[in-house]
Amino acid sequence: MKSAHLMRIERFISARLGDPELGPSMVAEGCGISLRYLHKLLSETGHSVNDWIRMQRLEAARRDLCDLAEGVSIGEIAYRWGFSDQAQFCRAFRRRFDCSASEMRHRHRNGQGDG
């Protein structure tokens, strides 16, 4: 049962990553479980609900930085994936990937990959 709930939670979050209002309450309500149970399920994975949402958003932004045409700004990508503040996005991105979003984009364009 837990794995079914986790899969439903993952699908729900993935489908709404661009919504800046996405948070634990919305996820619990959308998945038909209590907020307490949601936190319990995700704590068993070693992440809080907000951490998991942020990680998924950052991964989506990283993919876009590497895949989208040059005309799409880093700010547009950040907002597309639910970050309401570009500075917050840039700090979170650097913490997650050990480089700035612009460095990631530059490396990818120069054939150096993600690392």
Side-chain angles (χ1 to χ4, degrees):
M1 189 69 154
K2 283 183 184 181
S3 64
H5 282 304
L6 284 171
M7 286 180 12
R8 188 169 57 236
I9 290 165
E10 287 179 27
R11 282 193 309 270
F12 185 89
I13 290 172
S14 292
R16 290 160 185 82
L17 279 178
D19 184 348
E21 300 299 316
L22 180 63
S25 296
M26 182 189 290
V27 174
E29 184 177 324
C31 292
I33 59 176
S34 73
L35 188 57
R36 182 178 175 170
Y37 186 56
L38 172 67
H39 285 295
K40 182 181 185 311
L41 281 171
L42 283 190
S43 73
E44 293 174 6
T45 69
H47 300 288
S48 72
V49 179
N50 286 325
D51 287 345
W52 203 84
I53 291 170
R54 186 179 319 102
M55 287 186 317
Q56 297 306 307
R57 285 178 169 162
L58 288 169
E59 285 296 332
R62 184 196 58 77
R63 284 190 304 271
D64 278 1
L65 284 166
C66 295
D67 295 342
L68 292 178
E70 286 187 41
V72 180
S73 74
I74 290 171
E76 288 175 286
I77 291 171
Y79 297 128
R80 173 182 294 159
W81 293 112
F83 290 93
S84 55
D85 180 283
Q86 187 174 347
Q88 175 217 19
F89 165 75
C90 289
R91 285 188 301 274
F93 193 92
R94 183 177 288 282
R95 275 192 309 271
R96 172 70 178 91
F97 298 107
D98 247 1
C99 68
S100 71
S102 58
E103 289 168 337
M104 176 73 72
R105 177 177 265 179
H106 179 75
R107 279 191 233 168
H108 184 76
R109 285 189 185 141
N110 290 327
Q112 297 172 353
D114 295 340

